[in-house]
Amino acid sequence: MKGADERFMRHALALGRRGAGSTWPNPSVGAVVVRETADGPLVVGTGWTQAGGRPHAEPVALEEAGLAAVGATLYVTLEPCSHRTVRGGTPCVEHTILSGVARVVSAMDDPNPRIAGLGHALLRSAGVKVTAGVLAAEVARDLRGHIMRVTKGRPAVTLKIARTADGYAGGPGGRRIAVSCPEAGRWVHLERARHDAIMLGIGSILADDPLLTVRLPGLEHLSPVRVVLDSRLQLDPGSQLVRTARQVPVWVIAAEDAPVAPEAALVKAGVEVMRVPADAAGRADLSEALHLLGARGITRVYAEGGPAVGEALAMQGLADEIVLSVSPVALGEPGVPAIRPGLSAAIGDGLRYRLAETFAVGHDRFERYERVP
């Protein structure tokens, strides 16, 4: 039974990944309905959380299964929800009970205080057998954003850093350089699509004038919300971000005392400006900014820098995952260091971050670090 449970939970896990980046404020959950037959177990329904967070994975899978769900097993990566929200809709627990499934296998309790085991309890009280904890660690990594948001009030943050073989992210004077190989560049665009928001500091925006969208054929619609940390509201109304703000959302987070006039121009162009308290250095407080994003429903943030923001995120323990890519090509002259001393110290501190995996994309070598709980 354990082997079969893990096999079908991996199927559900793979399905849940299909919705990553498009379901916030809800987690992207996967579900599989399996029925025992004379020829062995048969998948009769599959589903994952749909864009915008509704419908949830369970009703999608159960609807596909139809009457075949009666007496079957439902595999789901997160405890079925048991509460009604302001958006309405029938809780997944009710869908599950009414479907007639005999057993539910879930990876983990939902840490959302409004659920927190209640869904499993209601299923058991209705006579449905419940097995929880299957592949819990793997699922928790995929659902880290949801877990962080409902327990800590902020989204999970993945910090992505690209550097040349000799350690630079930019050329002399901040000149933009091509660091990653084409294959690694496409990988980054896919990662953007899997996150709710992409976040950069104003320094990188002023230096590079990036677009920050997903530019993979067929996936352009998955471009995340573009967040700019801009304490003094320096964002140029003529930048690519502002010019495209009505097509792909741009949120600017400024300090509370930032000037008002630039805000009016940005808002007129379709940018949403939000303000948070300043830190001791006068910059928009990073923790406050992330909690603001969490309040807006963002669960997963892809932070592409620059070096100053990356260092601050790591030093404050706000980077939950750090992905470092290294090109085999050297810049060959002094440029902008990709990793500042504080970030280097954080990555090298085994009590703060641990190396989770290494892999290659094209010619570039990747290292992924996870924050130690």
Side-chain angles (χ1 to χ4, degrees), residues 11 57 143 161:
H11 188 176
L143 297 182
I161 306 159

Side-chain angles (χ1 to χ4, degrees), residues 23-26 149 155 196 251 292-300:
T23 67
W24 62 279
N26 292 337
R149 181 173 176 266
D196 308 341
W251 295 356
L292 176 59
L293 294 179
R296 294 293 302 269
I298 298 295
T299 67
R300 303 179 74 220

Side-chain angles (χ1 to χ4, degrees), residues 25-26 54 56 83-91 112 114 149:
N26 292 337
R54 294 279 181 175
H56 290 182
H83 66 292
R84 296 183 184 275
T85 68
V86 293
R87 299 176 65 183
T90 302
N112 187 334
R114 294 181 295 179
R149 181 173 176 266

